[in-house]
């Protein structure tokens, strides 16, 4: 497993790198033996606190992400690693549940984000309107609502569009400001 430990204006000593490697490899062996690698980045946050960001691709475009902040680099890493471990536990449970249900379908639609250029006719762009930024091309999975929520958590994103396996309609789940999950379903009829 390829584990990369980097520091932004922080010296990552040998002891910290060894600890990170041992913990990440232990989680991979316990929860996901086919894990490819992980990137662990340490930095300095506000008030001289250490930040730790972990990005770990696990399967078919699924990427686990976690970050934590603490006054010690080891503590910051442990907090982020605990978040990754909780995500892996949920993911493993969902996979077990999915094996018993036969309504899971493979990804069938390819979607992308596009940046729309402003027309030359506009005299001035309002300062209030945000820029539309291209993200990346992504697949729209066919999933149940609960599977879509799991993917939202595992991908650590704010929104996820998916094709509802039961209705065949495009739906969206998103994380609300209060921490709850919202579900957008098209109106029938």
């Amino acid at each position: 497993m390829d584990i990369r430990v980097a520091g932004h204006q922080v010296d990552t000593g040998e002891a910290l790198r060894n600890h990170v490697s041992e913990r990440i490899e232990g989680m991979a062996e316990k929860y996901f033996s086919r894990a490819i690698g992980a990137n662990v980045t340490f930095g300095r946050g506000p008030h001289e606190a250490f930040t730790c960001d972990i990005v770990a691709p696990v399967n078919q475009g699924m990427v686990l992400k976690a970050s934590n902040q603490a006054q010690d680099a080891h503590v910051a890493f442990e907090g982020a690693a605990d978040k990754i471990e909780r995500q892996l536990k949920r993911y493993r449970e969902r996979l077990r549940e999915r094996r018993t249900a036969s309504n899971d379908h493979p990804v069938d639609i390819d979607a992308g984000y596009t940046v729309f250029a402003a027309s030359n006719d506009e005299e001035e762009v309002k300062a209030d309107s945000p820029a539309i930024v291209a993200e990346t091309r992504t697949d729209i999975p066919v999933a149940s609502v609960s599977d879509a929520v799991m993917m939202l958590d595992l991908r650590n994103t704010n929104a996820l569009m998916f094709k509802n396996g039961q209705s065949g309609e495009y739906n969206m789940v998103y994380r609300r400001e209060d921490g709850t999950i919202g579900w957008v379903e098209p109106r029938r009829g």
Side-chain angles (χ1 to χ4, degrees):
M1 182 174 179
D2 181 30
I3 301 171
R4 298 176 188 216
V5 180
H8 288 278
Q9 300 176 355
V10 173
D11 181 31
T12 57
E14 190 66 29
L16 180 60
R17 286 194 300 270
N18 288 338
H19 176 69
V20 167
S21 294
E22 288 172 8
R23 176 80 193 268
I24 297 288
E25 286 175 358
M27 284 190 301
E29 287 175 19
K30 184 175 180 181
Y31 296 105
F32 202 78
S33 61
R34 297 177 304 191
I36 299 167
N39 293 320
V40 180
T41 308
F42 291 93
R44 284 290 195 174
H47 310 294
E48 296 299 314
F50 287 92
T51 61
C52 178
D53 297 314
I54 302 174
V55 178
V58 289
N59 188 17
Q60 298 175 352
M62 192 72 67
V63 178
L64 302 175
K65 297 179 183 177
S67 60
N68 194 37
Q69 199 173 59
Q71 294 300 320
D72 180 59
H74 288 272
V75 175
F77 167 72
E78 285 300 322
D82 288 344
K83 291 176 186 178
I84 291 285
E85 193 165 14
R86 282 192 302 272
Q87 291 174 353
L88 284 169
K89 284 179 185 177
R90 282 190 304 233
Y91 182 61
R92 185 175 66 178
E93 289 301 314
R94 295 295 301 154
L95 288 177
R96 284 183 185 160
E97 291 173 10
R98 183 179 289 169
R99 285 184 193 133
T100 60
S102 62
N103 65 349
D104 189 45
H105 303 286
V107 173
D108 67 344
I109 295 177
D110 187 27
Y113 295 94
T114 306
V115 175
F116 296 98
S119 66
N120 295 334
D121 300 355
E122 295 180 21
E123 293 178 13
E124 72 179 57
V125 177
K126 293 182 182 178
D128 299 359
S129 56
I132 300 172
V133 179
E135 292 288 330
T136 59
R137 293 190 59 80
T138 186
D139 295 323
I140 297 179
V142 176
S144 66
V145 176
S146 61
D147 286 347
V149 171
M150 176 193 68
M151 285 186 255
L152 180 79
D153 285 340
L154 291 174
R155 293 180 181 180
N156 199 22
T157 62
N158 292 326
L160 175 74
M161 177 178 264
F162 66 101
K163 188 171 183 179
N164 192 320
Q166 287 184 326
S167 68
E169 299 285 335
Y170 291 100
N171 289 198
M172 185 177 78
V173 289
Y174 63 97
R175 188 166 315 282
R176 297 166 48 114
E177 288 183 16
D178 62 0
T180 59
I181 303 293
W183 172 25
V184 178
E185 184 177 24
R187 186 178 308 172
R188 294 185 186 199

